[in-house]
Amino acid sequence: YASLEYRGLYVRPGLNWLWSDDDFDPRLGFYRRTNATRQQASLVFAPRPNTAAIREVNFGPTFTLETTPEYDARLGQEASGYLQVDWANGANIGNTFAHFVDVVQQDFELYGQTIEAADYSGFRNRTYAALPSRRIVGGNLSYEFIELFGGAAHQPSASTTVRLGKHFTLGASYTHLVGRFRSQQEDFNFGFANGNVDIAITRNVAFDNLVRLDLSPGSERVGLQSRLRWRFLPGSDMFLVYRNNLPVRSVGPADPFHAVTLKVAYYLRSFIG
């Protein structure tokens, strides 16, 4: 993987390249395909209007091409663009749109339905807005329309953050997905929810908790992650983490999962000369 970006004040071009072979495991990174390459070029313009309210306006195109590792067949491509307005108080509003081509090489299961190997293309559009980020109560709203494997889906989402002083932060988010694939019988209607409680006990001791609820067909489960962090020396931390993943139903899609992890990081600084 390689990335090159020029972070100018008003113009920000970027190039990205990624290559993977048959041995790559998608669970180890943020790339969903094995045995593929991805090339991406983007150009962002960021004018700064002469106004005290608007801090910056960002807009520009992005083009992505995915191929086989030998560059002899196309696996997908996407041409997209976006426009976002940022205010000085941290609020923003924006819209992204894209036309994509996705080559599915093998049949697979998604939301309890079988997606057949074929070439799929369509449009995707997302509109979003965020409240000022430095207030006691913050929030985000978004709506996305997606043409999905021969069908279409609607995905509204909302999140909020409440800061109860300097020691407590509460957060919650919910995303709903409703739509269908090629036929009327291949429909889906479910949601995802997250909640978090963060407690800053002292400057060096923090306790945070994250709860996840996934109601996607065939994968209904609820999970918890609790983490205690202690900074015992500058740059040195100890983490104690508990994680679980439990089926929502009595007979779930997977066995219950529990794990406790202890991690210690020690920062050693040597002085030379």
Side-chain angles (χ1 to χ4, degrees):
Y1 173 79
S3 178
L4 178 64
E5 181 182 5
Y6 173 72
R7 298 179 179 178
L9 184 62
Y10 301 110
V11 181
R12 301 162 190 168
L15 295 172
N16 291 274
W17 173 81
L18 184 148
W19 186 91
S20 66
D21 60 13
D22 278 330
D23 296 327
F24 177 72
D25 189 339
R27 293 174 296 179
L28 301 180
F30 299 99
Y31 187 54
R32 63 187 178 90
R33 304 192 87 141
T34 61
N35 202 32
T37 72
R38 182 178 65 190
Q39 293 72 220
Q40 185 178 84
S42 61
L43 181 61
V44 176
F45 299 95
R48 295 171 177 263
N50 187 19
T51 173
I54 297 178
R55 178 174 61 87
E56 191 174 79
V57 178
N58 296 289
F59 63 92
T62 299
F63 182 76
T64 304
L65 176 66
E66 296 180 334
T67 72
T68 59
E70 298 79 17
Y71 291 95
D72 56 2
R74 183 188 66 172
L75 299 179
Q77 71 179 42
E78 179 178 290
S80 64
Y82 85 105
L83 171 66
Q84 179 174 309
V85 181
D86 297 326
W87 279 269
N89 61 5
N92 66 68
I93 187 171
N95 182 265
T96 63
F97 56 91
H99 178 269
F100 62 90
V101 176
D102 192 3
V103 180
V104 177
Q105 298 171 288
Q106 298 179 353
D107 296 355
F108 70 97
E109 296 292 324
L110 180 64
Y111 308 149
Q113 308 291 344
T114 299
I115 305 299
E116 299 178 353
D119 293 0
Y120 299 93
S121 65
F123 290 91
R124 180 171 62 249
N125 187 82
R126 178 173 177 263
T127 302
Y128 56 91
L131 294 174
S133 57
R134 294 184 291 272
R135 302 289 178 82
I136 296 177
V137 179
N140 297 270
L141 291 173
S142 71
Y143 167 77
E144 185 172 9
F145 172 78
I146 316 166
E147 291 185 313
L148 191 65
F149 300 118
H154 304 270
Q155 183 171 279
S157 178
S159 65
T160 184
T161 301
V162 181
R163 297 172 178 85
L164 303 176
K166 62 181 181 180
H167 295 286
F168 295 90
T169 301
L170 305 177
S173 65
Y174 180 75
T175 299
H176 200 85
L177 188 64
V178 56
R180 64 175 180 83
F181 298 123
R182 284 184 170 178
S183 68
Q184 295 289 345
Q185 290 74 28
E186 297 177 330
D187 61 336
F188 47 85
N189 188 351
F190 61 92
F192 305 90
N194 294 295
N196 64 279
V197 179
D198 301 334
I199 305 173
I201 302 172
T202 68
R203 293 183 58 185
N204 297 315
V205 180
F207 182 53
D208 55 77
N209 301 270
L210 174 64
V211 179
R212 305 183 185 93
L213 176 64
D214 181 359
L215 297 179
S216 56
S219 300
E220 298 91 339
R221 58 187 183 272
V222 60
L224 169 68
Q225 175 178 292
S226 295
R227 183 183 68 168
L228 178 66
R229 174 184 176 180
W230 174 35
R231 173 155 289 186
F232 55 90
L233 287 173
S236 301
D237 300 278
M238 184 184 73
F239 300 90
L240 181 62
V241 182
Y242 168 72
R243 294 178 296 144
N244 69 22
N245 194 357
L246 306 174
V248 172
R249 300 172 181 173
S250 57
V251 181
D255 294 332
F257 169 81
H258 301 270
V260 177
T261 304
L262 177 65
K263 175 184 177 182
V264 178
Y266 179 72
Y267 175 64
L268 176 63
R269 182 179 180 181
S270 61
F271 296 90
I272 301 176

